[in-house]
Amino acid sequence: RQGENSGTITHELGHYAFRLPDLNNNPYVTPFRRASAGPWDMMDRGCFNGPGGPHMRWVVPPTHGAAMPAGLMVRNRLENGFIDESMLLTLSREGLAQTGLAAAKVTARAVEPFPGQFTGIMVRLDGTPDGDRTPEDDPAENPLSPGIPNYNFYSLEVVQRIGYDSFTPDNGVLIAKNKDSLRGWNGGPNAFNSFIWVIDAHTEDINMADYVKPNGEKVMRTIADYRQLNDALFHAGLDSGSYCEWEDIPNGLRFYVIDIEKNDQGILSYTLAVRSLDGSGEQERGVALDAPEEVEYKGNFLPVTFTLKNTGSPADADPALHPSDATAYLNSDVYRLSVSVEGTGWTAKLCNGLAAVESGHSRTVTVYVSAEEGSADTATVTLEAVSESDPTQTAAAAIFILIRGQTIEYPL
């Protein structure tokens, strides 16, 4: 049936062998409608993935595009039986308001989850339906609209450019709204099936050329081009080129990308957290920060280590409040970190503005300090931590940094 690339043939086999429907839109008809899953799922335009993009998918062999499609997202993997719910941490939106936030580690979807980790997190939109909480957004007026707000759950998963995800455009955390039904027409003009809707970390127009005409004229990608979602993933840390959190105010949820790890084989896993905006549980929340009183500056970017402790205490939670037994993942709090420095010519930088710590446990937080030529001889670096579950719980610690007269090798 398909006389083109291996990626598209795999997509067609998704229809034939697994009865999965299309997710793709039409990027060239007006009014434009944003793609639903784009390059992140084989049943959307992930079947075109590759360095040459969609216009090179006809080349045989496919060395410039569509050499390998994307993997499948959580929703489609569940449908196919490639994963089961035991591999997911499944949470209830209503339950999170009673138990407090949940935090867990998620392994890259291209491999089996590591022990104690999951292949994804699912948050059921139980209680008041999505459509009764989320205002309708007319797709005739807003090309980024997901259409009819009748989604049933969120999914969080980790994409790494290995295996079937080798030709995806990024590594990071993929957040999506999903429908229980595979027939999820999104209404409005040029409606299409969108039972998966990727949350785009960068909703602005990607503003890139699609192709160049023989006369040299550039034809830009439309807002409906699937590559609009090339930069959709969320990343851990500050200055990552993306964002580390996202909030759905109508549905009362906030999602956090806390941290990233890489094992000896180079496989990524992320610490992720989900918090209800409607309640923070019965836990006693608390936070403390400790630091050495004084540090000698030795030049370049000096790492200064603080100790962050969760001084709160856990509360007994009814396991029935969540579809999964989430008990082991409800004992953490997420802290928002900020740093300041007093001293002319000194700077202090955090690599990560979020930290998750279990009740009664501690972790280190590193701040990198530097001084420019002609700076003051001393500086004071202050780290502050604020509980996301209870913003009244704050802590601060300061370190005094001094130069002892030695020759300083200033940073370039």
Side-chain angles (χ1 to χ4, degrees):
R1 181 180 182 279
Q2 290 291 143
E4 44 180 288
N5 60 73
S6 54
T8 301
I9 292 169
T10 309
H11 168 99
E12 297 303 330
L13 286 171
H15 294 315
Y16 175 76
F18 298 102
R19 298 296 185 262
L20 292 175
D22 280 319
L23 277 166
N24 46 275
N25 63 339
N26 186 332
Y28 300 111
V29 296
T30 55
F32 294 128
R33 301 284 299 270
R34 202 210 81 179
S36 58
W40 308 110
D41 193 280
M42 182 181 79
M43 301 315 295
D44 198 342
R45 301 302 189 186
C47 59
F48 292 171
N49 282 352
H55 302 302
M56 296 297 290
R57 70 186 191 272
W58 315 100
V59 177
V60 180
T63 55
H64 295 290
M68 182 180 290
L72 294 171
M73 294 178 63
V74 162
R75 176 68 187 86
N76 277 333
R77 295 173 74 194
L78 278 171
E79 186 69 24
N80 287 358
F82 294 162
I83 59 173
D84 58 49
E85 294 202 13
S86 69
M87 301 169 70
L88 302 171
L89 177 61
T90 305
L91 304 168
S92 155
R93 177 184 58 189
E94 301 294 293
L96 284 170
Q98 299 179 61
T99 65
L101 66 82
K105 292 184 178 181
V106 175
T107 310
R109 68 183 187 179
V111 299
E112 295 292 314
F114 299 149
Q117 299 190 17
F118 296 94
T119 199
I121 296 176
M122 179 191 298
V123 184
R124 301 290 312 180
L125 299 179
D126 51 0
T128 307
D130 182 25
D132 291 341
R133 298 182 65 141
T134 302
E136 288 208 28
D137 187 7
D138 186 358
E141 300 294 331
N142 177 17
L144 304 181
S145 169
I148 302 168
N150 56 353
Y151 292 85
N152 302 109
F153 66 93
Y154 273 98
S155 60
L156 293 83
E157 58 194 293
V158 172
V159 178
Q160 183 177 3
R161 300 180 73 190
I162 55 175
Y164 268 97
D165 285 327
S166 292
F167 289 103
T168 53
D170 195 10
N171 300 317
V173 176
L174 183 58
I175 303 175
K177 293 179 80 170
N178 305 266
K179 299 177 182 179
D180 289 334
S181 172
L182 294 181
R183 298 293 183 267
W185 293 98
N186 52 19
N190 301 324
F192 61 98
N193 200 29
S194 61
F195 60 94
I196 298 173
W197 186 263
V198 165
I199 304 302
D200 188 0
H202 292 275
T203 57
E204 65 274 13
D205 193 326
I206 200 168
N207 193 30
M208 295 184 70
D210 187 15
Y211 60 92
V212 179
K213 292 182 177 181
N215 65 3
E217 178 188 351
K218 287 184 178 180
V219 177
M220 304 302 289
R221 301 177 188 179
T222 75
I223 198 74
D225 190 295
Y226 74 96
R227 292 165 292 179
Q228 171 68 21
L229 294 177
N230 278 1
D231 55 2
L233 299 189
F234 292 79
H235 299 162
L238 303 171
D239 301 325
S240 69
S242 190
Y243 298 96
C244 58
E245 54 192 322
W246 188 76
E247 188 173 69
D248 179 349
I249 294 176
N251 276 303
L253 292 170
R254 192 174 187 94
F255 303 91
Y256 301 91
V257 180
I258 305 291
D259 226 336
I260 182 174
E261 297 177 22
K262 183 182 289 187
N263 74 355
D264 293 340
Q265 287 73 46
I267 305 300
L268 296 179
S269 60
Y270 281 77
T271 301
L272 307 178
V274 187
R275 179 172 69 89
S276 169
L277 303 180
D278 300 327
S280 297
E282 300 297 324
Q283 295 94 329
E284 179 184 344
R285 303 294 183 179
V287 58
L289 275 169
D290 291 314
E293 292 183 1
E294 182 179 290
V295 173
E296 180 181 353
Y297 182 67
K298 298 179 181 179
N300 292 326
F301 290 94
L302 173 70
V304 177
T305 301
F306 294 77
T307 301
L308 172 67
K309 184 175 183 178
N310 182 340
T311 60
S313 56
D316 293 333
D318 181 356
L321 289 172
H322 295 288
S324 293
D325 183 357
T327 307
Y329 308 99
L330 301 173
N331 297 325
S332 295
D333 201 359
V334 172
Y335 299 99
R336 191 172 298 276
L337 307 173
S338 59
V339 66
S340 60
V341 61
E342 294 182 10
T344 303
W346 289 81
T347 60
K349 185 174 180 63
L350 272 170
C351 292
N352 198 334
L354 297 172
V357 187
E358 286 189 58
S359 296
H361 289 70
S362 301
R363 59 160 293 174
T364 58
V365 176
T366 301
V367 175
Y368 294 90
V369 180
S370 64
E372 62 185 27
E373 190 169 2
S375 65
D377 291 340
T378 62
T380 301
V381 176
T382 303
L383 181 68
E384 183 176 9
V386 180
S387 164
E388 284 289 284
S389 298
D390 181 0
T392 66
Q393 299 299 312
T394 66
I399 295 179
F400 183 72
I401 301 175
L402 69 161
I403 299 173
R404 294 197 183 277
Q406 75 275 25
T407 300
I408 299 301
E409 182 184 350
Y410 290 96
L412 297 177

